[in-house]
Amino acid sequence: MLAYIGLGSNLKDPKAQIKRALASLSNNKAELISVSSFYESKPLLEIPGPNYLNAVCKIETKLSAIDLLDLCQEIEESQQRVREVKWGSRTIDLDILLYGEQVISNKRLSIPHPEAINRAFVLVPLFEIEPNIKFPLLGSIKDLLERINKLDVNKL
Ligand code: ROI
């Protein structure tokens, strides 16, 4: 299965955090196919905190969606992510954006990621690596990008 994962960090050397998480995504059950450039942006909703670094990667995996979520959460834990406050700063955040063309909605998982389509720091890097991708139910990335403000992310 092909899947796309969004990565974000705004603490403790964000570039190193994202690189480390990317390395952890390549294991015996997942293979990293491509990675976008890294993009810098202000925290969403003007929440105070350091700027974020974000990237998107494409993986090929034998893991089910829920096992992929477990892997992402293991990586977050291994990088000492602490969930202090909702929307707070974090060392690393891994979001499954797309899992093949599947639509998944349960207690732990919503795919396509419901916020992805509103976020330039997700759509811009995803477009860079997959300009023709379609979000199930939601449409082409080109159309989705036209609805949002792209000025608020800067490619490093
Ligand atoms: N803001 C930016 N710019 N990038 C993120 O990855 C990010 N992640 C979040 C919240 C706290 C919503 N804000 C963000 O989870």
Side-chain angles (χ1 to χ4, degrees):
M1 185 69 77
L2 289 176
Y4 296 84
I5 295 178
L7 304 100
S9 168
N10 75 334
L11 289 179
K12 299 185 183 163
D13 194 351
K15 198 184 272 184
Q17 296 289 348
I18 291 178
K19 286 185 175 166
R20 195 173 144 198
L22 286 167
S24 307
L25 277 171
S26 299
N27 62 19
N28 52 343
K29 292 195 175 129
E31 182 194 352
L32 202 57
I33 311 264
S34 56
V35 184
S36 71
S37 306
F38 290 10
Y39 292 80
E40 187 178 10
S41 59
K42 294 206 177 101
L44 206 69
L45 311 173
E46 304 189 357
I47 293 159
N51 281 354
Y52 277 81
L53 210 57
N54 289 98
V56 166
C57 70
K58 174 180 185 175
I59 62 167
E60 161 84 44
T61 184
K62 292 184 171 60
L63 296 171
S64 67
I66 207 76
D67 288 345
L68 183 58
L69 176 64
D70 284 338
L71 173 62
C72 289
Q73 293 186 342
E74 278 165 34
I75 295 170
E76 289 178 348
E77 274 165 34
S78 79
Q79 296 185 213
Q80 276 103 49
R81 171 161 177 189
V82 273
R83 288 172 189 267
E84 283 153 356
V85 283
K86 195 170 184 190
W87 311 128
S89 293
R90 62 275 312 273
T91 50
I92 192 72
D93 187 25
L94 295 175
D95 289 329
I96 305 173
L97 306 173
L98 294 166
Y99 184 79
E101 293 178 5
Q102 291 189 14
V103 177
I104 301 171
S105 177
N106 61 45
K107 242 197 283 179
R108 290 189 64 201
L109 208 48
S110 300
I111 296 178
H113 190 282
E115 287 302 321
I117 61 167
N118 301 319
R119 295 179 169 176
F121 61 80
V122 173
L123 293 183
V124 171
L126 180 58
F127 180 77
E128 180 194 333
I129 60 172
E130 209 66 271
N132 293 315
I133 198 153
K134 285 198 175 70
F135 279 62
L137 310 178
L138 301 172
S140 74
I141 189 157
K142 288 195 183 79
D143 290 344
L144 293 171
L145 268 170
E146 277 176 16
R147 300 170 37 252
I148 63 161
N149 179 3
K150 290 175 285 294
L151 294 177
D152 48 5
V153 292
N154 291 303
K155 188 166 162 174
L156 287 203

